Amino acid sequence: MRSTLVRRTAVAATAVSLAVLATACSGSADKGGDSGDKAKPSAAAPEAADVKVPSAAELEKMALAEGDVKQHQVRQAGPAESIAAGEATADKTECLPVARAIGTAPQGEPAGTAAARRATETGEKNKEAIESGDLSAMTNVTTTQIGLASYDGKGAAEALAALRKAAADCAGGFTATLKGQQMKVNKITEAKIAGGDEAGAWNLAVEQGSTKLTLKAVALRKGAVLASFSSLNLGATGGKDYPLPTAVVDAQAAKLG
């Protein structure tokens, strides 16, 4: 029997973002402040004057749509699947950015956001389940939730740096609560991914009740925009591994320009 984690967060807590932590970078973690939202940006962070800050309307046009990702169904996440910043909490303050990444909730203080999207792998074996929306009937299918947020100044770089720091500080585990549902994050490990101006990815070993799963969280910055990805494979119970959602990440990076 599938746990609440699979039924409710099958990607709204996907990534992901960061599936948990959703963005693992190929570089080392940046040092930041005590709260994840105030970490210092990387040296590659752009100057405020160099970057255009997309509005919410512009972000909607940049968001993935059906047909943008091969062998994936893409749709807008519904209200029950979307997680606002205030609906993601952590029992350790320093781990809050990771909790937000799991649900692709906005990091820091964005200037604009787009409605979350969900990209689900397709295939004849799972076609009927995908069309009916019955995720519990799918096997070996990865679903990825995607969130887009724009930031003034160096806000996007700072948000990504905060996530990196939180992933490192909370590697030993913490408890996250998304929309009132708790999950225990037992371990966070960094993965390798590239794209945009900078990107990061993490594997999160989580459990809820008797169910153990691996979540994938990815974060990618392009200019003033931070894209968050949180993935869950419904067949990867018991802590089994599966690939990062690189096709989804690459398609979204391409739409960011």
Side-chain angles (χ1 to χ4, degrees):
M1 180 177 177
R2 301 288 183 185
S3 70
T4 303
L5 173 64
V6 174
R7 295 195 306 270
R8 172 170 279 188
T9 25
V11 176
T14 331
V16 308
S17 157
L18 304 243
V20 102
L21 199 118
T23 16
C25 172
S26 55
S28 59
D30 291 319
K31 295 183 179 179
D34 292 336
S35 88
D37 294 337
K38 296 182 180 180
K40 295 179 180 179
S42 66
E47 293 299 327
D50 297 334
V51 181
K52 171 178 170 51
V53 181
S55 66
E58 291 171 321
L59 287 175
E60 287 294 337
K61 295 179 180 179
M62 296 176 178
L64 290 177
E66 181 64 18
D68 286 340
V69 191
K70 292 182 179 179
Q71 298 184 336
H72 283 72
Q73 177 198 68
V74 179
R75 65 177 176 80
Q76 184 170 315
E81 300 164 332
S82 301
I83 297 179
E87 295 176 317
T89 62
D91 64 340
K92 299 177 182 178
T93 303
E94 64 271 24
C95 303
L96 179 58
V98 177
R100 287 176 175 171
I102 293 175
T104 64
Q107 303 281 357
E109 299 180 3
T113 60
R117 264 58 171 183
R118 300 185 79 176
T120 303
E121 290 181 321
T122 56
E124 289 303 317
K125 184 176 181 180
N126 297 290
K127 185 176 181 180
E128 184 176 344
I130 291 170
E131 291 178 346
S132 68
D134 182 11
L135 294 181
S136 65
M138 298 182 194
T139 58
N140 197 31
V141 168
T142 297
T143 301
T144 301
Q145 184 139 315
I146 308 101
L148 294 182
S150 61
Y151 297 81
D152 293 322
K154 297 181 180 180
E158 291 171 343
L160 180 50
L163 178 56
R164 288 183 178 142
K165 183 178 187 302
D169 291 347
C170 303
F174 71 100
T175 298
T177 301
L178 303 176
K179 281 188 177 289
Q181 298 295 321
Q182 284 191 347
M183 71 174 72
K184 185 177 181 181
V185 178
N186 292 322
K187 185 178 180 180
I188 301 172
T189 57
E190 189 176 13
K192 290 188 179 297
I193 197 164
D197 294 325
E198 55 178 333
W202 295 265
N203 300 314
L204 297 94
V206 305
E207 66 176 294
Q208 186 177 55
S210 61
T211 301
K212 293 184 178 181
L213 293 165
T214 298
L215 299 181
K216 306 281 183 174
V218 176
L220 178 146
R221 181 183 68 80
K222 180 66 177 179
V225 178
L226 183 66
S228 299
F229 308 80
S230 181
S231 298
L232 174 66
N233 186 297
L234 299 178
T237 56
K240 295 178 183 176
D241 197 18
Y242 55 96
L244 286 167
T246 52
V248 177
V249 174
D250 290 346
Q252 182 61 81
K255 292 198 74 171
L256 295 181

